[in-house]
Amino acid sequence: MEFLYVEKTELIYTDINRPNPPTINISYDTISTVFYGIRTKKMLFGLLKLPETYLTIQSSKGSYTILEKDAGKETFERYIKELEEFTHRHHVTMRETTGDDKEDWRL
């Protein structure tokens, strides 16, 4: 089972990390921005800082995140490539972030 299926006019997202995973159809006109890149995961009260590669789809229905470690490197790269084509076709903003600063979200 996949996290994300890219169709012609919508994305089909499934969070397979949860038991009995729900499937959500996200239409292109509800998507505001797609973010991908590296962010820092803080653990043990901020003492450990681990970088993680992620992909987040922000829409009016909610925010949906896929981590590279969960999906696998090849599958994650395929998601990025398919989403680049999808966002270009439907004029949706896609941004690459390189950290956790708020400035990265306001490119």
Side-chain angles (χ1 to χ4, degrees):
M1 183 171 240
E2 298 274 336
F3 279 98
L4 186 70
Y5 292 101
V6 180
E7 298 293 329
K8 191 167 190 151
T9 60
E10 68 182 2
L11 303 175
I12 301 171
Y13 174 80
T14 306
D15 188 0
I16 59 176
N17 291 330
R18 293 174 47 189
N20 208 7
T23 300
I24 301 160
N25 295 349
I26 309 167
S27 177
Y28 76 92
D29 56 352
T30 63
I31 299 172
S32 60
T33 309
V34 176
F35 294 105
Y36 71 98
I38 298 172
R39 65 180 177 191
T40 304
K41 180 178 182 182
K42 296 178 183 176
M43 301 172 64
L44 293 174
F45 305 108
L47 296 174
L48 291 177
K49 297 176 183 171
L50 303 172
E52 63 183 7
T53 307
Y54 75 103
L55 168 72
T56 300
I57 301 164
Q58 288 187 342
S59 80
S60 60
K61 295 182 177 184
S63 181
Y64 308 101
T65 302
I66 301 170
L67 299 177
E68 181 184 39
K69 68 177 183 173
D70 295 337
K73 188 169 181 74
E74 295 84 18
T75 306
F76 191 79
E77 289 175 3
R78 180 173 49 93
Y79 291 160
I80 297 290
K81 182 181 274 187
E82 289 175 354
L83 280 172
E84 284 176 348
E85 295 169 3
F86 179 84
T87 56
H88 180 71
R89 183 171 54 240
H90 296 292
H91 306 290
V92 175
T93 304
M94 185 168 186
R95 295 186 178 162
E96 181 177 4
T97 61
T98 57
D100 288 326
D101 287 337
K102 291 182 181 179
E103 293 162 9
D104 288 337
W105 295 85
R106 292 182 282 146
L107 297 173

